[in-house]
PDB file of all heavy atoms in Angstrom:
ATOM      1  N   LYS A 258      30.133  23.969   1.179  1.00  0.00           N
ATOM      2  CA  LYS A 258      30.348  24.309  -0.218  1.00  0.00           C
ATOM      3  C   LYS A 258      31.464  23.450  -0.814  1.00  0.00           C
ATOM      4  O   LYS A 258      32.307  22.890  -0.099  1.00  0.00           O
ATOM      5  CB  LYS A 258      30.706  25.787  -0.351  1.00  0.00           C
ATOM      6  CG  LYS A 258      29.658  26.749   0.207  1.00  0.00           C
ATOM      7  CD  LYS A 258      28.353  26.653  -0.579  1.00  0.00           C
ATOM      8  CE  LYS A 258      28.518  27.189  -1.986  1.00  0.00           C
ATOM      9  NZ  LYS A 258      27.240  27.091  -2.760  1.00  0.00           N
ATOM     10  N   ALA A 259      31.436  23.320  -2.145  1.00  0.00           N
ATOM     11  CA  ALA A 259      32.427  22.490  -2.836  1.00  0.00           C
ATOM     12  C   ALA A 259      33.845  22.985  -2.586  1.00  0.00           C
ATOM     13  O   ALA A 259      34.801  22.189  -2.618  1.00  0.00           O
ATOM     14  CB  ALA A 259      32.129  22.465  -4.332  1.00  0.00           C
ATOM     15  N   ASP A 260      34.025  24.300  -2.278  1.00  0.00           N
ATOM     16  CA  ASP A 260      35.366  24.828  -2.026  1.00  0.00           C
ATOM     17  C   ASP A 260      35.769  24.731  -0.552  1.00  0.00           C
ATOM     18  O   ASP A 260      36.806  25.250  -0.144  1.00  0.00           O
ATOM     19  CB  ASP A 260      35.469  26.279  -2.498  1.00  0.00           C
ATOM     20  CG  ASP A 260      34.486  27.208  -1.781  1.00  0.00           C
ATOM     21  OD1 ASP A 260      33.852  26.767  -0.801  1.00  0.00           O
ATOM     22  OD2 ASP A 260      34.343  28.368  -2.210  1.00  0.00           O
ATOM     23  N   GLY A 261      34.953  24.085   0.280  1.00  0.00           N
ATOM     24  CA  GLY A 261      35.295  23.866   1.673  1.00  0.00           C
ATOM     25  C   GLY A 261      34.673  24.842   2.652  1.00  0.00           C
ATOM     26  O   GLY A 261      34.770  24.643   3.874  1.00  0.00           O
ATOM     27  N   ARG A 262      34.016  25.883   2.170  1.00  0.00           N
ATOM     28  CA  ARG A 262      33.380  26.847   3.071  1.00  0.00           C
ATOM     29  C   ARG A 262      32.138  26.240   3.720  1.00  0.00           C
ATOM     30  O   ARG A 262      31.397  25.497   3.086  1.00  0.00           O
ATOM     31  CB  ARG A 262      32.979  28.108   2.301  1.00  0.00           C
ATOM     32  CG  ARG A 262      34.148  28.986   1.882  1.00  0.00           C
ATOM     33  CD  ARG A 262      33.649  30.220   1.129  1.00  0.00           C
ATOM     34  NE  ARG A 262      33.038  29.873  -0.139  1.00  0.00           N
ATOM     35  CZ  ARG A 262      31.761  30.087  -0.440  1.00  0.00           C
ATOM     36  NH1 ARG A 262      30.948  30.641   0.451  1.00  0.00           N
ATOM     37  NH2 ARG A 262      31.289  29.744  -1.631  1.00  0.00           N
ATOM     38  N   ARG A 263      31.906  26.591   5.008  1.00  0.00           N
ATOM     39  CA  ARG A 263      30.696  26.167   5.720  1.00  0.00           C
ATOM     40  C   ARG A 263      29.758  27.356   5.861  1.00  0.00           C
ATOM     41  O   ARG A 263      30.155  28.410   6.353  1.00  0.00           O
ATOM     42  CB  ARG A 263      31.030  25.625   7.107  1.00  0.00           C
ATOM     43  CG  ARG A 263      31.527  24.197   7.095  1.00  0.00           C
ATOM     44  CD  ARG A 263      31.895  23.714   8.482  1.00  0.00           C
ATOM     45  NE  ARG A 263      30.845  23.906   9.476  1.00  0.00           N
ATOM     46  CZ  ARG A 263      30.658  23.111  10.526  1.00  0.00           C
ATOM     47  NH1 ARG A 263      31.428  22.062  10.697  1.00  0.00           N
ATOM     48  NH2 ARG A 263      29.723  23.363  11.402  1.00  0.00           N
ATOM     49  N   GLU A 264      28.512  27.168   5.420  1.00  0.00           N
ATOM     50  CA  GLU A 264      27.503  28.207   5.576  1.00  0.00           C
ATOM     51  C   GLU A 264      26.436  27.673   6.522  1.00  0.00           C
ATOM     52  O   GLU A 264      25.616  26.832   6.143  1.00  0.00           O
ATOM     53  CB  GLU A 264      26.902  28.590   4.227  1.00  0.00           C
ATOM     54  CG  GLU A 264      27.908  29.225   3.280  1.00  0.00           C
ATOM     55  CD  GLU A 264      27.234  29.872   2.066  1.00  0.00           C
ATOM     56  OE1 GLU A 264      25.992  29.993   2.085  1.00  0.00           O
ATOM     57  OE2 GLU A 264      27.959  30.250   1.137  1.00  0.00           O
ATOM     58  N   PRO A 265      26.449  28.098   7.784  1.00  0.00           N
ATOM     59  CA  PRO A 265      25.523  27.530   8.776  1.00  0.00           C
ATOM     60  C   PRO A 265      24.087  27.962   8.529  1.00  0.00           C
ATOM     61  O   PRO A 265      23.818  29.050   8.014  1.00  0.00           O
ATOM     62  CB  PRO A 265      26.046  28.093  10.099  1.00  0.00           C
ATOM     63  CG  PRO A 265      26.760  29.349   9.720  1.00  0.00           C
ATOM     64  CD  PRO A 265      27.352  29.110   8.362  1.00  0.00           C
ATOM     65  N   VAL A 266      23.175  27.075   8.914  1.00  0.00           N
ATOM     66  CA  VAL A 266      21.758  27.426   8.943  1.00  0.00           C
ATOM     67  C   VAL A 266      21.561  28.350  10.140  1.00  0.00           C
ATOM     68  O   VAL A 266      21.937  28.013  11.266  1.00  0.00           O
ATOM     69  CB  VAL A 266      20.872  26.169   9.075  1.00  0.00           C
ATOM     70  CG1 VAL A 266      19.415  26.557   9.253  1.00  0.00           C
ATOM     71  CG2 VAL A 266      21.046  25.277   7.846  1.00  0.00           C
ATOM     72  N   GLN A 267      20.982  29.500   9.909  1.00  0.00           N
ATOM     73  CA  GLN A 267      20.815  30.469  10.992  1.00  0.00           C
ATOM     74  C   GLN A 267      19.494  30.225  11.721  1.00  0.00           C
ATOM     75  O   GLN A 267      19.434  29.457  12.668  1.00  0.00           O
ATOM     76  CB  GLN A 267      20.891  31.892  10.423  1.00  0.00           C
ATOM     77  CG  GLN A 267      22.224  32.195   9.743  1.00  0.00           C
ATOM     78  CD  GLN A 267      23.386  32.256  10.724  1.00  0.00           C
ATOM     79  OE1 GLN A 267      23.198  32.359  11.924  1.00  0.00           O
ATOM     80  NE2 GLN A 267      24.608  32.195  10.198  1.00  0.00           N
ATOM     81  N   SER A 268      18.430  30.832  11.246  1.00  0.00           N
ATOM     82  CA  SER A 268      17.128  30.685  11.917  1.00  0.00           C
ATOM     83  C   SER A 268      16.131  29.901  11.087  1.00  0.00           C
ATOM     84  O   SER A 268      14.958  29.823  11.435  1.00  0.00           O
ATOM     85  CB  SER A 268      16.552  32.073  12.224  1.00  0.00           C
ATOM     86  OG  SER A 268      16.415  32.818  11.021  1.00  0.00           O
ATOM     87  N   ALA A 269      16.589  29.305   9.994  1.00  0.00           N
ATOM     88  CA  ALA A 269      15.672  28.639   9.061  1.00  0.00           C
ATOM     89  C   ALA A 269      15.405  27.197   9.475  1.00  0.00           C
ATOM     90  O   ALA A 269      15.628  26.254   8.719  1.00  0.00           O
ATOM     91  CB  ALA A 269      16.217  28.711   7.645  1.00  0.00           C
TER      92      ALA A 269
END
Side-chain angles (χ1 to χ4, degrees):
K258 302 296 292 180
D260 60 9
R262 288 180 294 117
R263 280 178 52 149
E264 295 192 11
V266 174
Q267 300 292 344
S268 58

